[in-house]
Amino acid sequence: MKKLLWRSLACALVLSSLSWARPLHVVVAYPYIGDLVERIGGGNVRVFVLARGDYNPHVIIPRPSFIAQIRRADLLIISGAQLEIGWMPPLLRQANNPAVQPGEPGFLDLSRFVTLIDVPASVSREHGDVHPDGNPHYYLDPEYIPRLAKAIQERLSQLDSQNSSAYEGRYRDFLDLWNQRLVQWGEKMKSLRNVRVVEYHKNYDYFLRRYGLQIAGTVEPLPGIPPTSKHIEHLESLLAANPARFILQDVYNPDDASTHLAEKLGMKLVVMPHDVGSLKEATSVMAMFDELVRRITE
């Protein structure tokens, strides 16, 4: 009887250790988050990315597989600032996973760790696709990436304390590499301080502000609203009087209006990545910023 009891106890301990050894199943909204999680989590995590990097991050078409992944997730990480507001809430409801609901340890909103810009005093559809919390493209400020990585490291450690030292070590390694890159990017961007640029959409505000470039206008008359001929004519007159050097174009919006302005006013049209995977060169978060800097400085 004692042998049977000890055998059962040993079996339970083995099963328990196996369950704890299981990698955390982490579901993330966008590829840039997935890259950070994989760098910090290593073999202790399995990552599923919901959105593709070349898609419009505001408009993601949910799939049944998304629900299945969220249902079995230990941790769900979103970019936040209401960037996912049009597609994430229904997935959370249908997945019905109590562990990853807002307010639970299994839910992480990265926007809570940064300072957002362009927070509107009031919200109205007359102002276009305005986010009540502010501009949600904060992750294109390279100075914010260490904050996001730290938040991920701390949450992984909270959920999987047995591997906290491994998460901490990988975060430190990442931070060392990132700080080296920050110096390199800063040196390359110095020559563009106070240079005027036009954006199609307000994707790059944080990046431009970080390096001291001046935003001369947007091809969209309002966020998320396609350009009209009247707006383009108005923008032409403004830029003719006070020129800009570049037009920054993302990969998911049409570029006909940007091309027209660039050709007519002699500006350089630069197609820029907005996430990991948005361009073939943007294979990681570091590579994305390498490419952002390279494309605007060459």
Side-chain angles (χ1 to χ4, degrees), residues 8-23:
S8 299
L9 180 58
C11 235
L13 289 172
V14 169
L15 289 173
S16 175
S17 66
L18 285 175
S19 67
W20 280 107
R22 175 181 67 82

Side-chain angles (χ1 to χ4, degrees), residues 182-200:
L182 283 175
V183 174
Q184 296 169 12
W185 296 327
E187 285 298 316
K188 291 180 179 179
M189 292 295 293
K190 276 183 180 178
S191 62
L192 295 181
R193 182 165 291 276
N194 294 320
V195 166
R196 287 166 53 81
V197 302
V198 174
E199 303 174 271
Y200 183 94

Side-chain angles (χ1 to χ4, degrees), residues 120-246:
S122 62
V123 178
S124 168
R125 291 304 299 173
E126 293 179 358
H127 301 145
D129 187 16
V130 174
H131 294 270
D133 294 340
N135 187 320
H137 304 289
Y138 62 86
Y139 51 90
L140 291 179
D141 180 343
E143 296 280 357
Y144 279 165
I145 294 298
R147 297 192 195 182
L148 309 185
K150 183 63 175 174
I152 290 168
Q153 176 254 310
E154 289 179 346
R155 189 58 57 91
L156 292 177
S157 296
Q158 179 183 351
L159 295 175
D160 180 20
S161 58
Q162 288 185 333
N163 292 303
S164 60
S165 60
Y167 298 135
E168 174 71 20
R170 294 188 198 105
Y171 166 73
R172 292 295 175 191
D173 291 342
F174 171 77
L175 187 61
D176 288 343
L177 289 173
W178 194 262
N179 286 335
Q180 294 173 32
R181 282 295 218 287
L182 283 175
V183 174
Q184 296 169 12
W185 296 327
E187 285 298 316
K188 291 180 179 179
M189 292 295 293
K190 276 183 180 178
S191 62
L192 295 181
R193 182 165 291 276
N194 294 320
V195 166
R196 287 166 53 81
V197 302
V198 174
E199 303 174 271
Y200 183 94
H201 180 70
K202 295 178 73 65
N203 280 346
Y204 306 103
D205 285 31
Y206 290 89
F207 179 79
L208 299 173
R209 290 176 186 227
R210 175 59 60 188
Y211 292 115
L213 287 81
Q214 301 298 313
I215 301 169
T218 58
V219 177
E220 290 179 327
L222 295 168
I225 305 299
T228 62
S229 57
K230 182 178 180 180
H231 174 69
I232 294 302
E233 289 174 5
H234 176 65
L235 192 55
E236 280 181 20
S237 64
L238 291 177
L239 294 172
N242 197 355
R245 188 183 300 182
F246 304 109

Side-chain angles (χ1 to χ4, degrees), residues 4-174:
L4 183 60
L5 181 62
W6 278 109
R7 188 177 302 164
S8 299
L9 180 58
C11 235
L13 289 172
V14 169
L15 289 173
S16 175
S17 66
L18 285 175
S19 67
W20 280 107
R22 175 181 67 82
L24 288 175
H25 184 61
V26 184
V27 177
V28 306
Y30 302 108
Y32 85 90
I33 306 175
D35 182 60
L36 291 175
V37 174
E38 288 176 345
R39 283 176 177 272
I40 296 162
N44 301 113
V45 300
R46 292 291 179 269
V47 180
F48 183 85
V49 180
L50 298 175
R52 268 178 40 175
D54 58 342
Y55 284 1
N56 181 340
H58 304 267
V59 185
I60 304 299
I61 306 301
R63 298 178 179 176
S65 61
F66 294 0
I67 299 171
Q69 291 292 338
I70 294 173
R71 183 173 292 139
R72 56 189 288 259
D74 301 302
L75 175 60
L76 172 65
I77 307 179
I78 67 169
S79 198
Q82 300 208 26
L83 186 58
E84 299 95 343
I85 194 64
W87 59 278
M88 183 62 75
L91 293 175
L92 271 173
R93 286 195 299 271
Q94 293 177 67
N96 194 28
N97 179 352
V100 298
Q101 297 299 316
E104 297 299 326
F107 179 85
L108 181 59
D109 178 345
L110 293 178
S111 70
R112 303 306 180 192
F113 301 90
V114 302
T115 301
L116 299 174
I117 62 174
D118 299 334
V119 180
S122 62
V123 178
S124 168
R125 291 304 299 173
E126 293 179 358
H127 301 145
D129 187 16
V130 174
H131 294 270
D133 294 340
N135 187 320
H137 304 289
Y138 62 86
Y139 51 90
L140 291 179
D141 180 343
E143 296 280 357
Y144 279 165
I145 294 298
R147 297 192 195 182
L148 309 185
K150 183 63 175 174
I152 290 168
Q153 176 254 310
E154 289 179 346
R155 189 58 57 91
L156 292 177
S157 296
Q158 179 183 351
L159 295 175
D160 180 20
S161 58
Q162 288 185 333
N163 292 303
S164 60
S165 60
Y167 298 135
E168 174 71 20
R170 294 188 198 105
Y171 166 73
R172 292 295 175 191
D173 291 342
F174 171 77

